[in-house]
């Protein structure tokens, strides 16, 4: 399953949840697939979707979903420990792989 297929699948399950989508193509694809007022498309803050999602989930009563790529998660891995420590029941971080990062790192 590629990212576009994942986003299409998620649109069927996301209703009133607040959605934070990381920068670049994922945000553009989600916007094209199913733009909604409860979606926040990040610009210029790679690696922070999970941090924004965590902060939001700790301050609102709605369910929060963050969508992050593998490179973005690697840029801010510390947040994963904080998410695990705080463990908000209304927060679902979603991460996907491009299957290209190992190639980039080996170059």
């Amino acid at each position: 399953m590629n990212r576009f297929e994942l986003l299409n699948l998620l649109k069927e399950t996301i209703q009133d949840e607040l959605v934070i989508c990381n920068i670049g193509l994922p945000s553009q694809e989600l916007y094209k697939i199913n733009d909604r007022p409860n979606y926040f498309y990040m610009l210029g803050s790679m690696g922070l979707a999970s941090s924004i999602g965590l902060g939001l989930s700790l301050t609102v009563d709605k369910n929060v979903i963050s969508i992050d790529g593998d490179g973005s998660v690697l840029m801010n891995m510390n947040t994963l420990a904080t998410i695990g420590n705080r463990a908000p029941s209304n927060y679902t971080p979603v991460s996907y792989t491009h299957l290209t990062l190992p190639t980039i790192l080996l170059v």
Side-chain angles (χ1 to χ4, degrees):
M1 172 182 302
N2 64 32
R3 181 185 59 232
F4 193 79
E5 292 167 340
L6 171 67
L7 295 174
N8 263 312
L9 181 66
L10 286 176
K11 85 172 183 185
E12 303 301 325
T13 60
I14 296 172
Q15 299 301 319
D16 296 327
E17 292 87 354
L18 302 176
V19 177
I20 315 308
C21 191
N22 73 334
I23 64 170
L25 289 176
S27 285
Q28 293 172 18
E29 290 172 350
L30 185 61
Y31 180 84
K32 184 176 182 175
I33 291 169
N34 190 34
D35 181 40
R36 291 185 157 188
N38 51 316
Y39 290 1
F40 176 70
Y41 307 101
M42 294 175 40
L43 296 172
S45 52
M46 185 174 176
L48 295 176
S50 56
S51 297
I52 294 169
L54 174 62
L56 194 56
S57 70
L58 295 173
T59 58
V60 298
D61 290 329
K62 288 188 168 196
N63 290 327
V64 178
I65 299 171
S66 67
I67 303 170
D68 241 339
D70 52 358
S72 292
V73 170
L74 287 173
M75 288 186 70
N76 193 18
M77 288 183 66
N78 301 349
T79 299
L80 297 178
T82 307
I83 292 168
N85 180 287
R86 299 301 304 261
S89 61
N90 63 331
Y91 182 44
T92 305
V94 175
S95 180
Y96 58 88
T97 181
H98 295 284
L99 299 176
T100 57
L101 190 59
T103 305
I104 294 169
L105 292 176
L106 293 174
V107 172

